Amino acid sequence: MSEPADAVELRAALLRLRRASGIPIAFGGVLLDPHRLRIAQLSGAQTSALQGLAVCVGNGLGGKAMALGRPCAVTDYHEARHISHEYDGPVLAEGLRSVLAVPVVVRRKVRGVLYGALRRAVPLGDRTFDEAVAAARDVEQALVVREEVQGLLTIAREPRMGPAAWEEVREVHGELRALAPRVADPVLRGQLLAVCGRLAAAGTPSRGPAAADGTRTTIALAPREVDVLACVAAGSTNAAAADRLGLRPETVKGYLRAAMRKLGAHTRLEAVVAARRAGLLP
């Protein structure tokens, strides 16, 4: 059974936080409901005391960060007077003293909390704060991407095939291909690319089945070459395609040239037409 996408993103962010800041332990979780968070991922823990701990909004350091929607920290958790102490038992068991909690905020709603901690009572430096905030932003971006993908998949599963429907299908296909490399969860990424293949195949049913990444055996294009062609088909310039795909304009040009050569095309338009005939694009 595959892991939930939240677990994949959280674990990766916690590992990055520890490596970048040097803190010995990082942990976190996502909200179970608007009022409660469960700590589900730990990195560097020496005990299981914090595993599965439910943190309510307003309680403890993490609850305070959830309530305020901003990072909160204490130099000595046990002596801190500006937080409540419902969770002193698990915190004591893990030996934590200096603790930082950063909320994960998506579309103005707190969706989770990342913690970083030391086992001695010393102030956390600016570098640790900056790295913790950056890790939380990584999780926020991943959650946004995943929700966008799920919304696009819903549209893509039942494309409307009226006169103007193909333009919508092609737009959805391009957006899905642009999002795919940013999805960390391999199951969701595979599902996304499989839908891309179905969309590409829908326009050329006589050409045979498409592979999961949207390519066909008759013309082998690299996935990124298909991504660039999808952007070009949507009317993007090289610069716009680069921004959309997170690439440099020169890299986009290289992929486009390679795709044109493989398709036997001399212009961008010819490349798009050839790709559609080959079942690479819808």
Side-chain angles (χ1 to χ4, degrees):
M1 182 180 296
S2 62
E3 288 186 290
D6 290 341
V8 175
E9 304 296 351
L10 275 173
R11 186 170 61 253
L14 295 174
L15 285 171
R16 286 195 297 270
L17 171 56
R18 289 186 63 210
R19 290 169 180 167
S21 67
I23 60 172
I25 178 172
F27 51 100
V30 295
L31 268 67
L32 301 172
D33 56 51
H35 308 289
R36 225 169 19 116
L37 170 142
R38 186 176 299 280
I39 295 175
Q41 293 293 319
L42 297 94
S43 179
Q46 296 177 349
T47 74
S48 59
L50 296 169
Q51 185 70 47
L53 181 66
V55 179
C56 295
V57 173
N59 293 348
L61 185 66
K64 182 176 181 179
M66 285 189 277
L68 297 177
R70 60 176 174 78
C72 297
V74 294
T75 300
D76 191 337
Y77 190 97
H78 315 301
E79 300 297 328
R81 297 182 179 180
H82 58 281
I83 63 170
S84 61
H85 288 271
E86 292 86 352
Y87 314 114
D88 281 7
V91 173
L92 278 168
E94 186 60 43
L96 306 184
R97 302 291 295 279
S98 185
V99 186
L100 166 67
V102 181
V104 174
V105 183
V106 177
R107 298 186 177 96
R108 300 184 180 181
K109 292 184 178 180
V110 176
R111 298 282 297 276
V113 176
L114 299 187
Y115 298 81
L118 303 174
R119 294 186 172 90
R120 51 198 177 98
V122 296
L124 290 159
D126 290 342
R127 178 183 175 187
T128 300
F129 269 82
D130 292 344
E131 294 296 344
V133 170
R137 299 298 89 85
D138 287 344
V139 177
E140 291 168 3
Q141 180 64 24
L143 291 177
V144 169
V145 168
R146 186 157 59 87
E147 289 172 3
E148 289 178 353
V149 167
Q150 294 289 13
L152 289 169
L153 285 174
T154 299
I155 296 172
R157 286 190 183 104
E158 296 183 5
R160 294 168 293 167
M161 305 309 291
W166 274 113
E167 290 309 312
E168 182 179 0
V169 170
R170 287 164 178 165
E171 182 178 348
V172 169
H173 177 269
E175 290 184 35
L176 288 173
R177 290 216 62 105
L179 286 170
R182 298 160 58 190
V183 177
D185 178 29
V187 174
L188 179 59
R189 186 169 60 250
Q191 181 186 21
L192 186 158
L193 290 172
V195 172
C196 286
R198 287 173 54 200
L199 291 176
T204 53
S206 62
R207 294 282 181 173
D213 64 356
T215 62
R216 293 177 182 272
T217 56
T218 52
I219 299 178
L221 294 189
R224 272 310 201 187
E225 292 167 358
V226 179
D227 295 343
V228 169
L229 281 176
C231 290
V232 171
S236 297
T237 62
N238 289 348
D243 183 65
R244 186 174 187 179
L245 298 172
L247 301 172
R248 299 180 62 182
E250 294 78 9
T251 305
V252 168
K253 290 180 183 178
Y255 283 131
L256 182 57
R257 282 196 296 267
M260 290 172 63
R261 182 175 64 255
K262 294 176 182 178
L263 292 165
H266 301 287
T267 67
R268 296 159 66 92
L269 178 59
E270 286 181 8
V272 170
V273 171
R276 286 175 176 163
R277 287 175 177 169
L280 296 162
L281 298 176

